[in-house]
Amino acid sequence: MVDVKKVVLAYSGGLDTSVILKWLQDTYGCEVVTFTADIGQGEELAPARRKARKFGVRRIFVDDLREEFVRDFVYPMFRANAQYEGEYLLGTSIARPLIAKRQIEIAHRVGADAVAHGATGKGNDQVRFELGYYALDPNIRVIAPWREWDLTSREKLLQYARTHGIPVEGARKKGAAPYSMDANLLHISYEGGVLEDPGQEPEESMWRITVPPEKAPKRPQYVDLTYRRGDIVAVNGRKLTPAKVLAALNALGGRHGVGRLDVVENRYVGMKSRGCYETPGGTIMLKAHRAIESITLDREVLALKDDLMPRYARLVYNGYWFSPERRALQTLIDHTQSHVNGTVRVKLYKGTVMVAGRASPRDSLFDPSIATFEDDRGAYNQADAEGFIRLNALRMRIAAKMKRGS
C-alpha cells in the first residue's frame, strides 16, 4: 500500500463518508482533512463539522460554494442548452467538477498528498471526481474506498459503524423507501431501491421540492426573466445574484409542479440506470434561454449550437469539464451569447413552462416588416423564392431524371 500522510476527504457527514473517514484513519494511518461543500443541498452542515471533530479531525473545511456553483458551472452549461440524452439537465454531473476543484485547492493549501471520495465503483461520480482531480493535479494520489474495502453491503457498513461508534441515525431503516438522493441548488436526484424497476412509478412521497402538477395552483403565474449575455440577471425586474436567481426559480417552479423527470439513462461506465429528478428552476431556465436565443441568434449559429449541444452534454455527464475540448466548446458558446440580451416572459401552469413572450430591443433579429403576412411594401420579393427553390431542388431533380430513365 502506498504511504499516505495526509488526505482530503470529500465529506458529507452521512453514514458512508463517516465510515470512510474512520476507515482511512485505520487503514492508511494518515491524517484526514474533511471538506464539505455547501452547494445548496439544503442540509444543516454543522453536524458534519461536529462528527469530524469527534473522530479527531483537526482541519475541517465547510465552504459556501453556492454562488460559484451557479455562476461558474450552472450558467455556462445553460448557455449551451445542455441536456444529456435529450432530457437530463445534468444536476449531479455539473456539481462534481466544482467539488473536485475545491478539494484539490484544499489539498495544496494543507500539504496533503492524497484526496478521497465516497463514490462507488458502479457509478459515474468516481469518473467525474477523478478526472477533475487529475486535470488539476496530475500527481495527486486518489483513494476510492468503495474500490478497495470489503464493506460490500449496507449491513457491513452499519456493522462497521456500530463497532466504531459512528452514529447511524441517518441510515435507512428497514422497510423505508431506499432512495439514494443527491441534492444541490440545481436539482434533487433519486436512484436505487424500488426505482431499480423501471416499470414502477415512483411514490408521490418521494418528491421533495415540487408539488404534483394536478395539485398545483389553478391559475397560471407569469414570470419575467431578464437576460444579459445569455445569463439571467433579474427575475420580475428584481436584480439577483446567480444563486438567488436559481433559488427564486426553484421556488416558483416547485409551486407549479414544474421540473419532474423520470428517465433511464446510459451511465458512462456502461450500464443503464433509472433516475428521477426534480429540476424546477433549471427547466424554466432552459425554456426561457432557448426563447431569447430564438430572436437574437443567427439561424446557422443556432443550428451549430444545436449540433454541438449533445457533445457538450456528454462531456459534462462523463466528467470532462476541465478537458480542452469542453473549454474550446465553451469559448465558442460564450462568443455566441454576446447579443443574447432581452426579456422572456414564461407562464407556469400545472407542471408546464410555456413561453408567453420574448423581446430584445437592441439585439432582436426578428423583423416584423419582413415576417408580416400583411402588405410588406416591397420589403421581401416573393418572386425571389422561385429561383431559390429550383437551385435547392437541382440535385433531387437530377436524381429523379436518372431513376426515370432507368
Side-chain angles (χ1 to χ4, degrees):
M1 184 174 289
V2 177
D3 183 41
V4 174
K5 295 183 176 61
K6 187 182 296 185
V7 58
V8 178
L9 169 64
Y11 180 69
S12 69
L15 175 64
D16 291 10
T17 54
S18 294
V19 168
I20 288 172
L21 193 165
K22 179 62 177 169
W23 181 87
L24 287 170
Q25 292 172 329
D26 292 348
T27 304
Y28 284 88
C30 62
E31 178 185 350
V32 179
V33 176
T34 62
F35 158 55
T36 305
D38 180 359
I39 49 177
Q41 57 266 49
E43 297 175 352
E44 174 59 52
L45 300 180
R49 189 188 298 272
R50 289 195 297 270
K51 283 186 180 180
R53 285 202 183 110
K54 177 181 177 181
F55 287 94
V57 177
R58 293 184 291 119
R59 303 293 300 273
I60 300 169
F61 292 83
V62 180
D63 295 348
D64 185 347
L65 303 178
R66 287 173 293 178
E67 286 295 345
E68 183 179 0
F69 176 50
V70 183
R71 182 190 65 235
D72 297 342
F73 293 83
V74 174
Y75 268 16
M77 184 177 72
F78 273 83
R79 289 177 214 139
N81 300 322
Q83 289 178 286
Y84 181 65
E85 297 186 334
E87 294 191 274
Y88 173 41
L89 292 175
L90 299 160
T92 296
S93 315
I94 194 60
R96 298 327 188 206
L98 171 58
I99 294 171
K101 171 178 172 284
R102 183 59 181 144
Q103 206 172 343
I104 291 295
E105 290 171 350
I106 292 171
H108 292 169
R109 178 174 169 181
V110 302
D113 48 355
V115 290
H117 62 75
T120 74
K122 279 190 174 183
N124 295 307
D125 280 343
Q126 59 179 335
V127 183
R128 296 165 182 156
F129 281 130
E130 294 178 35
L131 287 178
Y133 298 151
Y134 291 131
L136 299 169
D137 185 345
N139 299 315
I140 197 69
R141 161 89 166 129
V142 177
I143 301 174
W146 280 99
R147 301 200 302 254
E148 297 183 22
W149 64 20
D150 60 356
L151 305 176
T152 54
S153 70
R154 197 76 185 169
E155 186 52 45
K156 287 184 178 180
L157 271 182
L158 291 170
Q159 183 57 50
Y160 186 96
R162 286 190 286 265
T163 300
H164 293 88
I166 299 170
V168 297
E169 64 271 12
R172 292 192 291 258
K173 294 182 174 62
K174 204 170 186 179
Y179 305 118
S180 172
M181 294 173 52
D182 177 75
N184 58 48
L185 255 180
L186 183 54
H187 87 165
I188 300 179
S189 69
Y190 309 88
E191 291 181 311
V194 297
L195 297 179
E196 290 181 358
D197 176 0
Q200 182 170 326
E201 182 180 7
E203 300 168 348
E204 181 56 43
S205 60
M206 180 190 75
W207 306 103
R208 301 296 181 93
I209 57 175
T210 58
V211 302
E214 57 270 29
K215 293 184 179 179
K218 295 180 180 179
R219 300 173 68 90
Q221 182 172 2
Y222 291 86
V223 182
D224 290 333
L225 305 174
T226 304
Y227 277 88
R228 184 179 303 135
R229 299 181 67 85
D231 295 338
I232 299 173
V233 295
V235 177
N236 289 329
R238 182 185 174 199
K239 292 183 179 179
L240 297 171
T241 65
K244 289 181 179 178
V245 164
L246 187 49
L249 294 183
N250 280 335
L252 289 165
R255 185 183 311 143
H256 290 273
V258 168
R260 291 187 178 186
L261 181 65
D262 182 341
V263 296
V264 173
E265 65 200 56
N266 290 290
R267 287 184 180 174
Y268 193 30
V269 294
M271 69 190 74
K272 289 186 181 291
S273 172
R274 194 265 191 98
C276 294
Y277 303 97
E278 287 181 285
T279 320
T283 302
I284 297 169
M285 287 171 60
L286 178 66
K287 190 78 170 183
H289 187 255
R290 293 198 68 95
I292 192 65
E293 283 192 325
S294 73
I295 60 170
T296 58
L297 284 192
D298 171 81
R299 181 188 73 178
E300 294 305 315
V301 172
L302 191 57
L304 178 61
K305 281 191 77 231
D306 284 345
D307 288 344
L308 293 172
M309 184 278 285
R311 176 71 178 270
Y312 181 103
R314 287 195 302 272
L315 289 173
V316 176
Y317 184 85
N318 293 339
Y320 290 92
W321 181 261
F322 296 110
S323 68
E325 62 269 31
R326 200 284 309 177
R327 293 179 189 270
L329 283 177
Q330 194 71 57
T331 299
L332 171 61
I333 289 161
D334 291 351
H335 174 74
T336 70
Q337 301 298 288
S338 59
H339 296 292
V340 182
N341 306 301
T343 303
V344 176
R345 172 167 290 181
V346 295
K347 180 167 71 172
L348 310 179
Y349 181 66
K350 297 288 186 182
T352 65
V353 183
M354 292 166 278
V355 175
R358 73 289 279 161
S360 180
R362 291 180 301 148
D363 296 295
S364 177
L365 298 176
F366 183 89
D367 188 338
S369 69
I370 293 176
T372 181
F373 282 91
E374 305 301 328
D375 183 3
D376 62 19
R377 304 191 180 191
Y380 178 87
N381 185 357
Q382 297 191 36
D384 290 344
E386 181 180 358
F388 171 79
I389 295 167
R390 289 182 65 83
L391 281 174
N392 277 282
L394 180 59
R395 60 190 176 87
M396 293 182 284
R397 292 170 63 206
I398 292 171
K401 287 178 180 179
M402 289 181 65
K403 286 181 180 178
R404 185 177 298 176
S406 61

